[in-house]
Amino acid sequence: MSTTASISNGYMRALVVDDHGLYRAGLSLLLRDECGFDEVKEAGSLDEAASVLGDEGAFNLALFDLFMPGMDGPECLSAMRWSKPETKFAVISASQDRRDIAAAIAAGLNGFIPKSLPDSDIAGAVRSILSSQIFVPNHVAQKSVVSATTPMSVARAAWPVQACTADASPDLTPRQRDVFEGVRRGLTNKEIARTLAIAEGTVKIHLAGLFAAFGVRNRTELAICQ
């Protein structure tokens, strides 16, 4: 039975992405014990998360720390989210800044969970997200400063995305640079995957991130970026 089929029959999978191993382990245990997940994968950076998402099938939930290697803001997760529509994407962060929360929701994510919440409240937030609700902390929800329909421009105001110009190149993760170089060489997704020994799905996820980082719409525009 495939992973996707297993999920459709009630098998629950989650991905926890955080650069602190102890926190990852604790959150993984919480998801299993309190939220009913059958399997929880872990990753310590955005590149590693992209590889897991590209290589290991479908997930019900992916939780990302907001500040870790490779993370340039919720826009990165927005790109991943559109490449994995079956997965609920949310931030779990030490930040409670309204600008960070608004940016995450504006980027199309399914929620923003403060790490400072008690375990029972984190579990409740996860259950809300899995039931297709948008979760935000009470101090934000009461002020009604974000909503599921907040325009994307809010996220870009809080977390700037640098458009492609000859003298302005965004910071890329090592794997994004590898994929970017493959695009500039004219390689197909399959050829890039073979060259880097990664799954073709992983290449697609990195491409989505590159489009967002450079502010371009397709491979042709990306290929001429510097």
Side-chain angles (χ1 to χ4, degrees), residues 141-155:
Q142 291 169 359
K143 295 292 184 180
S144 300
V145 298
V146 295
S147 73
T149 57
T150 305
M152 182 65 76
S153 58
V154 174

Side-chain angles (χ1 to χ4, degrees), residues 3 5 36 73 88 137 160 217:
T3 301
K88 304 290 187 186
R217 296 165 296 180

Side-chain angles (χ1 to χ4, degrees), residues 120-190:
S120 59
D121 289 349
I122 291 177
V126 167
R127 286 191 287 267
S128 294
I129 290 168
L130 291 172
S131 65
S132 298
Q133 299 179 48
I134 304 296
F135 179 86
V136 294
N138 283 336
H139 76 279
V140 172
Q142 291 169 359
K143 295 292 184 180
S144 300
V145 298
V146 295
S147 73
T149 57
T150 305
M152 182 65 76
S153 58
V154 174
R156 288 179 176 166
W159 293 84
V161 176
Q162 213 164 15
C164 177
T165 64
D167 57 356
S169 179
D171 291 332
L172 303 178
T173 69
R175 187 58 82 190
Q176 283 177 332
R177 285 194 291 270
D178 292 339
V179 173
F180 181 37
E181 181 59 29
V183 172
R184 294 181 66 185
R185 289 170 53 198
L187 301 181
T188 65
N189 288 355
K190 185 174 293 187

Side-chain angles (χ1 to χ4, degrees), residues 53 62 64 74-90 104-111 134 148 152 205 208-209:
L53 288 168
F64 288 77
E75 189 78 10
C76 298
L77 304 186
S78 178
M80 284 189 177
R81 177 179 178 270
W82 293 120
S83 67
K84 288 286 183 178
E86 73 280 6
T87 303
K88 304 290 187 186
F89 280 76
I105 303 306
L109 305 187
N110 299 97
I134 304 296
M152 182 65 76
I205 290 173

